[in-house]
């Protein structure tokens, strides 16, 4: 009796945790390191601005943060950049925020409380009590891409502005840049 045993090679995937703040250089596209860099630089710039120091000296202004506009040719989750900037600013203790992305959900809850008949009228939140934003923080992420057969270059520019909603004046603005280059290495004999 002959027994034939066949064995083969199999690739085994290994999953492990990594440092979320470590520099990732998988490719030249916008990545997690870039997101962290632009969010931190812009937040620090805003918080260290003399104008913002004056605005926040005796109170915590209410800010509406508009989602960052993606003007690149890549699919970039600009909501993550917006969330990072908002969270860092809120943690600073200098600002308060209104979340415009949740206005409709809040309206539904207020309607339920006022008209649903299931909430004690003495404990229901009344319409017209919410606080409006005094300032709007907004920005753009844009890029310029150049490439040929040997080299690819991507230049990113991230710009943000803080506008006084009553006067329409821009009280603060800044920008930061990132350049990434990939070169094809020639193989010599």
């Amino acid at each position: 009796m002959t027994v034939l045993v066949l064995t083969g090679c199999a690739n085994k995937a290994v999953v492990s945790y990594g440092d979320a703040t470590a520099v990732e250089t998988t490719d030249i596209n916008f990545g997690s390191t870039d997101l962290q860099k632009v969010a931190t630089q812009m937040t620090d710039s805003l918080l260290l601005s003399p104008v913002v120091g004056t605005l926040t000296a005796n109170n915590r202004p209410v800010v509406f943060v508009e989602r960052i506009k993606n003007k690149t040719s890549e699919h970039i989750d600009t909501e993550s950049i917006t969330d990072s900037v908002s969270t860092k600013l809120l943690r600073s203790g200098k600002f308060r925020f209104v979340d415009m992305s949740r206005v409709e959900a809040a309206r539904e809850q207020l309607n339920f409380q006022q008209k649903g008949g299931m909430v004690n009228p003495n404990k229901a939140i009344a319409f017209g009590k919410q606080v409006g934003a005094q300032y709007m923080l907004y920005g753009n992420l844009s890029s310029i891409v150049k490439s040929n057969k040997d080299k690819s270059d991507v230049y990113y520019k991230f710009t943000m502005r803080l506008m006084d909603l009553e006067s329409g004046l821009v009280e603060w603005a800044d920008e930061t840049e990132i350049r990434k280059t990939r070169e094809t290495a020639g193989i010599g004999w």
Side-chain angles (χ1 to χ4, degrees):
M1 176 172 186
T2 304
V3 176
L4 181 62
V5 177
L6 297 175
T7 61
C9 294
N11 291 334
K12 183 178 179 182
V14 177
V15 177
S16 61
Y17 283 100
D19 180 1
T21 61
V23 175
E24 54 86 18
T25 55
T26 307
D27 58 30
I28 64 173
N29 294 327
F30 194 86
S32 63
T33 300
D34 305 318
L35 185 151
Q36 292 166 359
K37 180 182 186 228
V38 297
T40 298
Q41 285 182 344
M42 295 309 255
T43 304
D44 290 349
S45 173
L46 179 61
L47 291 173
L48 295 173
S49 164
V51 172
V52 171
T54 302
L55 295 174
T56 61
N58 297 318
N59 69 342
R60 292 175 57 212
V62 179
V63 177
F64 153 57
V65 182
E66 183 181 49
R67 184 172 179 173
I68 303 301
K69 302 257 186 296
N70 180 4
K71 295 187 171 189
T72 71
S73 58
E74 296 175 52
H75 170 73
I76 297 174
D77 182 8
T78 56
E79 188 172 0
S80 289
I81 302 171
T82 305
D83 289 346
S84 291
V85 169
S86 299
T87 300
K88 289 175 189 301
L89 290 175
L90 192 58
R91 283 183 185 163
S92 76
K94 294 187 176 199
F95 295 96
R96 296 175 293 160
F97 292 90
V98 292
D99 189 347
M100 295 305 295
S101 67
R102 298 295 176 239
V103 168
E104 191 55 40
R107 185 185 336 266
E108 287 175 17
Q109 177 57 216
L110 291 174
N111 274 328
F112 169 76
Q113 289 185 26
Q114 292 295 321
K115 300 174 184 174
M118 297 179 72
V119 175
N120 179 337
N122 296 328
K123 300 208 180 203
I125 304 295
F127 280 103
K129 300 279 185 171
Q130 292 188 3
V131 175
Q134 298 163 282
Y135 296 90
M136 180 172 76
L137 186 64
Y138 59 100
N140 297 310
L141 178 63
S142 58
S143 68
I144 299 172
V145 179
K146 300 278 184 172
S147 62
N148 61 32
K149 68 178 185 138
D150 298 324
K151 188 174 183 178
S152 294
D153 182 82
V154 181
Y155 165 81
Y156 295 100
K157 184 167 96 171
F158 182 51
T159 306
M160 288 197 82
R161 290 182 169 75
L162 181 70
M163 176 196 291
D164 181 320
L165 289 174
E166 184 175 10
S167 68
L169 295 173
V170 174
E171 297 289 350
W172 169 87
D174 202 354
E175 61 188 25
T176 187
E177 303 163 313
I178 296 172
R179 168 155 283 161
K180 293 173 127 181
T181 304
R182 179 185 67 221
E183 291 187 56
T184 303
I187 299 174
W189 296 101

